[in-house]
Amino acid sequence: MSRAPLVGYSSSGSEGEEEAEAEGWKSSSSAPAPRLHVPESVLRMFKEQEEQEAPPDESEKHGGRLRTFPHERGNWATHVYMPYVAEEDFQGLLQALLCCARTYVPSLSPLPEFHISLSQVVVLRYHWIAPFVQSLKERLRSVSRFICRADQVKVYTNQTKTRTFLGLEVSSGYSKLSELVSEVDKVMEEFSLATFYKDPSFHLSLAWGLGDLSEALGGQRLQELQTVDGFEDSSSFLRIPGTEVRCKSGNKFFSFPLR
């Protein structure tokens, strides 16, 4: 049985979007003209055109976060990553970290989901998505499952210093994550896209804030975060199973189970 990538759609990608209603021809006479039947083939044609435009991100709906590149018709922001489904104990540690970190940066917000990035965010044209996904599937099918561990508190900023992230750096499993990145980078090169960072710090982002907050959370404060209650009992729930890779392109999600 072939393991075709699963595809899904995020609900947030359709927020605020309304389907266009077909309007009938308007007659110059006072009596309204009857609506004409629109063939299904024509409706499908317009539906395909709508799907080719990625939904724009609106910063006011995302806590003031701004796009790192301008939205253009037909451009789809694309990201490859390894997901992590948080357990109850992990959520408890997250709350302890946030409670401590918010004494210095009250504006920190928890992330709704967790992952380890395997690529930068790149831009794909709509007609590239299918071949890009197929190439990812072929490259990743031979990679075996593994376990990594993320337990070192670190502070990260994006390239433009407009956002800061509180995260847990990977302390074991680095070589397997590097293997995944190597395969993803080969796909990026096929499409002349940016590869991942050299000597990356693989990490699980937990919370974020606007601006460069590295000084506010660094130094002695970072050491304080590393010793919050919960780390001493974290041997099990900070182990991250590497069982699948996902790709998000616009509001579409593709899943690639590892061998």
Side-chain angles (χ1 to χ4, degrees):
M1 179 184 296
S2 63
R3 298 184 304 177
L6 303 177
V7 59
Y9 297 84
S10 67
S11 58
S12 62
S14 60
E15 288 179 356
E17 293 181 357
E18 297 179 354
E19 293 186 2
E21 295 181 355
E23 294 183 358
W25 292 95
K26 293 183 179 180
S27 171
S28 58
S29 63
S30 58
R35 287 182 177 271
L36 300 177
H37 172 70
V38 180
E40 183 65 25
S41 59
V42 175
L43 291 176
R44 283 199 303 269
M45 177 181 68
F46 283 99
K47 178 62 176 175
E48 290 172 357
Q49 290 178 352
E50 290 173 2
E51 289 178 345
Q52 291 182 17
E53 182 170 4
D57 290 338
E58 300 178 20
S59 62
E60 65 272 13
K61 293 183 180 180
H62 303 283
R65 288 175 289 174
L66 300 175
R67 296 177 62 93
T68 55
F69 47 84
H71 169 72
E72 294 182 14
R73 183 180 179 86
N75 279 357
W76 290 64
T78 302
H79 180 221
V80 183
Y81 59 94
M82 192 177 80
Y84 172 64
V85 179
E87 299 177 358
E88 184 177 350
D89 288 339
F90 181 88
Q91 293 289 357
L93 176 60
L94 172 60
Q95 291 306 314
L97 284 169
L98 275 177
C99 183
C100 181
R102 281 172 171 166
T103 61
Y104 309 112
V105 182
S107 61
L108 278 181
S109 299
L111 290 169
E113 57 187 27
F114 310 102
H115 66 265
I116 296 176
S117 290
L118 302 174
S119 81
Q120 298 191 55
V121 177
V122 297
V123 177
L124 279 182
R125 299 296 293 176
Y126 177 78
H127 59 277
W128 288 356
I129 295 176
F132 181 87
V133 168
Q134 180 61 30
S135 187
L136 276 177
K137 175 189 173 185
E138 293 172 357
R139 290 287 183 183
L140 297 172
R141 64 175 45 169
S142 62
V143 181
S144 58
R145 298 183 177 192
F146 62 97
I147 296 289
C148 64
R149 180 178 172 83
D151 56 8
Q152 302 298 309
V153 181
K154 291 292 180 67
V155 176
Y156 300 89
T157 60
N158 64 351
Q159 289 180 307
T160 55
K161 305 291 186 181
T162 57
R163 278 176 280 171
T164 298
F165 298 89
L166 182 66
L168 293 175
E169 186 181 37
V170 167
S171 60
S172 67
Y174 190 96
S175 61
K176 292 297 294 185
L177 289 166
S178 295
E179 180 183 351
L180 284 175
V181 167
S182 177
E183 297 303 321
V184 173
D185 276 352
K186 291 172 185 175
V187 177
M188 295 296 179
E189 290 170 349
E190 286 181 40
F191 291 82
S192 300
L193 298 170
T195 55
F196 204 41
Y197 309 107
K198 184 179 180 181
D199 301 323
S201 171
F202 294 114
H203 63 278
L204 201 68
S205 291
L206 306 176
W208 73 280
L210 286 174
D212 185 355
L213 307 173
S214 54
E215 289 189 11
L217 293 171
Q220 185 64 37
R221 295 168 181 176
L222 190 62
Q223 296 178 26
E224 183 181 342
L225 288 169
Q226 187 67 60
T227 58
V228 300
D229 292 340
F231 270 111
E232 65 274 13
D233 302 319
S234 65
S235 58
S236 61
F237 61 83
L238 291 183
R239 296 171 71 247
I240 302 172
T243 58
E244 68 168 314
V245 170
R246 291 181 187 172
C247 173
K248 180 179 185 294
S249 187
N251 62 343
K252 297 183 178 183
F253 292 83
F254 303 88
S255 176
F256 309 90
L258 298 182
R259 180 168 60 84

